[in-house]
Amino acid sequence: MTAKAADLQSLERDLSARIAAASDDASLEAIRVEALGKQGSVSALMKTLGSMSPDERKQFGPKLNALKESVSEAILAKKAAFAEAALEAQLKSEALDVTLPPVRPRVGTIHPVSQVMEELARIFGEMGFTVEEGPDIETDFNNFTALNFPSKHPAREMHDTFFMNATDEAGARKVLRTHTSPVQVRTMLKQKPPIRMICMGRTYRCDSDSTHTPMFHQIEGLVIDETSSMADLKSVLIAAIKAYFEVDDVRLRFRPHHFPFTEPSAEVDVGCDRSGGQIRIGAGADWLEILGSGMVHPNVLRNCGIDPEKYQGYAFGMGIDRLAMLKYGMNDLRAFFDADVRWLKHYGFSPYLLPGLAAGVG
Ligand code: DAH
C-alpha cells in the first residue's frame, strides 16, 4: 500500500470516528468544514491529484472520491439523526394529556343576591313574565301618589323615606324608591295591557339591624289583562315559591292585609320549622311572612291611564335578600353589603353554574 493510501485510510478512520462522536449540529458543521471545506483535509488531498502520475491518479482518484462521498454522506446522516431527535424532544415537551379535566380560570364568585335574581328571572321568565327596570331615584308621584298612598301615609314621613333635596317637575322632593312598586306605574304608563312583568332592584328605607339594611332588594310582579284573578295570583306564587325553594311540599298561607295599591290585599306566609334556632322551609308547623300581594286597586289603574272597567290584574312584592337568607342559610343581612371577600368566597356562587334549564335553578 502506498503512503498516500495509508494516509487516506487513517484520515477516513479519524473522520468517521469524529462524526460518530459529534454531539450537535455545530460540531458536525466544524468537522465538515475541516474535511470538505476549501481548506479542508480532503480538499487538500484532491488538489494533489494534479501533480500525480497517471497511474497514481488512476489508483488514488477513485479512492479519494469515495472518501469524499462517504464523509459527506456520514455527515448528512448524522444531521438527519439530530433533526429527528430534536423533533422527538419537541413533541415530547409539547405533549398534551387530553384526558385531564379542563382548568378553569379563577374569576371570583357571584353574590347571593345576584344569584337569587338570576334564579327568579328564570322562574318567572319561564312563566311568561318580562323584566322591566326603573331608576333608584323616583318621583313622589311614582313612588307614592300613583300607588294610591294617602297624603298623610306614614311611609311618606322623614324617618322611613330618604328624601332628596332636588324636586321634580311638580315641585315635590324626589325619593330613593322605598319599594319596586313604582316600576308598576312606569310600565302601565308606557305600555298598554296585557302586561305581565317582573322588576328587580335596589330599594331604600331608613332602617338598620340584623334583618334590615338601609339599602335592600325587592322583586315586583304585575299582571294586567281582562281576566286575571286572585286565583291566578295564588297559582303563580305557589309555583314560583316551590320552584325557588326546590321543595315540593312548600305550604303558602294567604293572610288578608292592607296595602294602598291593592284591593283585596294579602300577605303571604311560607310554612317552616323554627326548632333548633334555624329556619327550615317546607317542614314544620311555623309560618314566616315573605311577600305582599293583591288585586291592583282601581285607583292605581286609573292613575296610570288604564280603564278599571275593562282591565284588572294582580301584583306582588318580595324581599330578595330575605329569600336569599332563607334558601342559603345566612343569618345576618348586614354581611351582604360588607364586601368582605371571605364571606363572598364562602357564600358566593360559581359563575360557571348560573341557574338555567341545564344547571337547575339553584
Ligand atoms: N311594595 C310593598 C312593600 O314594599 C310590597 C307589595 C305588596 C308589593 C303588595 C305589591 C303588592 O306589588 O301588591 O312592602
Side-chain angles (χ1 to χ4, degrees):
M1 189 192 292
T2 63
K4 279 188 178 133
D7 280 355
L8 217 57
Q9 271 192 348
S10 86
L11 182 58
E12 183 165 12
R13 263 200 306 275
D14 176 49
L15 285 174
S16 63
R18 285 177 59 199
I19 291 169
S23 58
D24 55 19
D25 266 337
S27 49
L28 210 52
E29 180 61 11
I31 297 168
R32 192 190 65 78
V33 172
E34 257 176 60
L36 306 174
K38 268 193 187 144
Q39 318 288 330
S41 49
V42 177
S43 310
L45 284 174
M46 295 293 259
K47 280 179 199 149
T48 63
L49 285 175
S51 57
M52 286 181 192
S53 67
D55 268 358
E56 262 184 328
R57 201 179 302 141
K58 212 173 185 181
Q59 184 211 359
F60 199 64
K63 285 193 174 143
L64 198 50
N65 269 330
L67 169 65
K68 192 179 159 191
E69 224 153 86
S70 79
V71 168
S72 65
E73 252 169 41
I75 288 176
L76 280 179
K78 187 82 180 183
K79 268 196 175 164
F82 280 153
E84 196 169 317
L87 181 62
E88 201 67 32
Q90 186 188 357
L91 289 176
K92 209 169 192 178
S93 76
E94 290 175 0
L96 272 185
D97 183 350
V98 293
T99 65
L100 286 175
V103 179
R104 291 170 160 176
R106 294 171 45 134
V107 288
T109 58
I110 301 292
H111 193 285
V113 169
S114 305
Q115 172 82 12
V116 168
M117 283 185 175
E118 204 64 39
E119 292 175 19
L120 293 171
R122 300 279 174 158
I123 291 168
F124 284 103
E126 280 163 28
M127 291 198 275
F129 286 74
T130 57
V131 177
E132 296 290 335
E133 285 185 338
D136 291 13
I137 299 174
E138 261 298 2
T139 61
D140 186 274
F141 177 80
N142 286 346
N143 196 80
F144 294 124
T145 309
L147 290 166
N148 201 34
F149 278 77
S151 59
K152 291 279 177 299
H153 195 279
R156 290 185 183 241
E157 282 173 23
M158 299 296 276
H159 65 261
D160 274 319
T161 305
F162 291 111
F163 284 91
M164 314 294 288
N165 284 331
T167 53
D168 59 27
E169 304 74 48
R173 287 168 80 185
K174 289 198 172 186
V175 298
L176 285 177
R177 65 180 178 192
T178 58
H179 50 180
T180 41
S181 303
V183 184
Q184 289 188 31
V185 177
R186 288 179 170 273
T187 308
M188 287 189 275
L189 285 174
K190 72 166 195 210
Q191 188 188 322
K192 293 274 151 276
I195 292 170
R196 194 173 174 84
M197 70 83 166
I198 55 164
C199 156
M200 295 181 283
R202 294 185 175 137
T203 46
Y204 305 83
R205 279 179 215 174
C206 256
D207 221 347
S208 188
D209 59 38
S210 72
T211 52
H212 296 90
T213 48
M215 187 279 293
F216 56 105
H217 299 83
Q218 283 193 341
I219 175 172
E220 190 80 16
L222 175 71
V223 172
I224 303 288
D225 55 26
E226 293 182 26
T227 57
S228 278
S229 66
M230 202 77 184
D232 299 313
L233 166 68
K234 285 185 77 169
S235 70
V236 161
L237 287 178
I238 290 169
I241 296 297
K242 267 189 184 166
Y244 173 72
F245 284 110
E246 297 176 68
V247 186
D248 273 339
D249 60 351
V250 162
R251 292 164 304 138
L252 289 186
R253 179 172 73 176
F254 288 72
R255 203 166 18 79
H257 196 71
H258 169 77
F259 297 106
F261 34 90
T262 42
E263 182 58 37
S265 305
E267 267 192 342
V268 180
D269 304 329
V270 62
C272 66
D273 174 29
R274 279 206 178 84
S275 59
Q278 263 201 333
I279 298 180
R280 290 214 346 268
I281 301 295
D286 299 314
W287 296 100
L288 181 77
E289 183 245 309
I290 54 164
L291 66 93
S293 65
M295 297 302 292
V296 177
H297 197 292
N299 287 350
V300 174
L301 294 173
R302 220 171 279 123
N303 291 338
C304 299
I306 290 178
D307 179 3
E309 299 299 325
K310 181 159 186 218
Y311 295 108
Q312 60 187 43
Y314 59 85
F316 55 88
M318 265 184 281
I320 291 179
D321 316 271
R322 161 79 72 90
L323 287 179
M325 291 168 86
L326 287 173
K327 183 165 173 182
Y328 295 115
M330 284 116 14
N331 49 24
D332 191 338
L333 182 60
R334 289 167 297 197
F336 275 52
F337 310 117
D338 282 346
D340 184 331
V341 83
R342 292 163 302 179
W343 187 89
L344 284 168
K345 262 197 187 134
H346 184 78
Y347 288 110
F349 293 83
S350 163
Y352 300 105
L353 294 175
L354 276 181
L357 291 177
V361 163

